[in-house]
Amino acid sequence: METAARAVLAILLLIAAAAKLRSRAELPELLGAYGIPGLARRPAAIALILVEAFVAVLLLVGAPGSAFAALALGAVFVLAAATARLRGHRRVRCGCFGAAERPWSWILARALGFTVLAGVAAFGGELDLASPTRDTLVLAALAILAFAVLVLGVLVLALYRHVGVLSLRIAPSAALELEGEGPPVGTPAPALAGLTRRGAELVAFFAEDCRLCRDLAPGVRALEREGVAVRIAYEAQEGPAFSRWNVPGAPFVVHIVDGVVAAKGLVNTLEQLDGLVATGRARKAHAAA
């Protein structure tokens, strides 16, 4: 049983490594969803491809400890999937079997399945299911317990995120709008790639190392379902835009209607974000009256 599990694991890892190698130009960007900092993404992408290929070779040749290496890799995959959800991503790409986005739950289920299979490869040779001994039963119980702890850890992370969202909701609702910060209200929005200047648009200025920005990202993206086009600009990638828009710091949000600045301000909570959008809509309605 463990031999078959090793073979399947090796094939899966080789396919995943080959797919990542083909899409190596996009892989660093994909790793951003899993919390990898910008400067570390390219080295992490190269390391991931090499580790997957190396572990696959070890599994194929039956090297001692290779199954445990696959088990550790599976735990990393599960943690990465949980991290992506914690950062607000409902659909993510992993680059393993194509570049298409998958629901977060599918990525997690696949990672858990890989981890279970690695557990079979690591401990299957010690399990005599026909006539189980006490040691066999202890190993089986430990494997089940480890799997349960892994699942509970993912659930705790998800619960932690929801508690954080609730805490963001009960904070003060007024965004900090100062006259000398950001583009003046009522004036055309400065130049920024991706703006259509038609209808309602929201520009969020975030920083990669900003915890509040990560907390607000799901709420900002949720506005797209309400018909508001969302454009997120990160300081490390679009520093000149921060200067053109006179952004004092992150997270800073600007609400634009038909290319004109309707509201702006430093936003620290979801309530402040909702309040800023409501202010922009009210100003636009008042101007049209």
Side-chain angles (χ1 to χ4, degrees):
M1 181 170 59
E2 70 275 11
T3 302
R6 285 172 178 269
V8 173
L9 287 170
I11 292 172
L12 290 175
L13 287 174
L14 286 175
I15 293 174
K20 290 183 176 69
L21 187 61
R22 286 195 300 270
S23 60
R24 58 187 178 276
E26 302 176 5
L27 187 58
E29 181 183 351
L30 302 186
L31 293 180
Y34 300 96
I36 306 298
L39 294 178
R41 289 174 190 171
R42 186 166 296 278
I46 296 173
L48 180 58
I49 295 172
L50 293 177
V51 168
E52 287 184 343
F54 183 64
V55 173
V57 172
L58 292 179
L59 288 166
L60 287 175
V61 301
S66 57
F68 291 97
L71 186 61
L73 200 55
V76 171
F77 292 157
V78 172
L79 181 61
T83 300
R85 185 65 188 94
L86 194 62
R87 291 169 59 86
H89 298 282
R90 295 182 181 275
R91 299 180 65 86
V92 291
R93 295 185 292 170
C94 72
C96 299
F97 305 99
E101 283 190 344
R102 306 286 184 185
W104 166 82
S105 56
W106 169 249
I107 299 295
L108 177 63
R110 199 165 64 186
L112 287 172
F114 180 92
T115 306
V116 170
L117 189 61
V120 172
F123 300 107
E126 303 179 36
L127 298 179
D128 185 1
L129 299 180
S131 54
T133 63
R134 180 179 177 181
D135 290 342
T136 298
L137 294 176
V138 169
L139 281 174
L142 287 175
I144 294 172
L145 181 61
F147 181 75
V149 169
L150 198 60
V151 173
L152 285 174
V154 172
L155 293 176
V156 168
L157 286 174
L159 179 61
Y160 171 79
R161 178 181 176 275
H162 284 294
V163 170
V165 169
L166 288 175
S167 66
L168 287 172
R169 284 287 184 189
I170 61 177
S173 60
L176 182 60
E177 182 179 288
L178 299 178
E179 185 176 350
E181 297 180 350
V185 173
T187 63
L192 184 66
L195 289 183
T196 64
R197 301 183 184 274
R198 294 191 301 271
E201 296 178 283
L202 195 78
V203 181
F205 293 91
F206 287 168
E208 284 79 355
D209 57 350
C210 169
R211 183 186 63 81
L212 282 174
C213 299
R214 293 193 295 270
D215 291 340
L216 288 169
V220 171
R221 295 190 183 94
L223 289 172
E224 289 183 307
R225 295 193 292 270
E226 301 178 13
V228 179
V230 173
R231 170 71 159 85
I232 298 179
Y234 287 96
E235 187 172 11
Q237 302 170 6
E238 302 185 71
F242 275 62
S243 300
R244 287 196 305 272
W245 288 65
N246 193 26
V247 175
F252 190 83
V253 177
V254 181
H255 185 215
I256 304 166
V257 180
D258 294 329
V260 176
V261 177
K264 61 178 181 177
L266 286 167
V267 175
N268 294 328
T269 68
L270 295 177
E271 282 294 325
Q272 290 178 354
L273 177 64
D274 292 341
L276 185 144
V277 173
T279 298
R281 289 171 175 167
R283 286 174 177 168
K284 182 63 178 178
H286 179 73

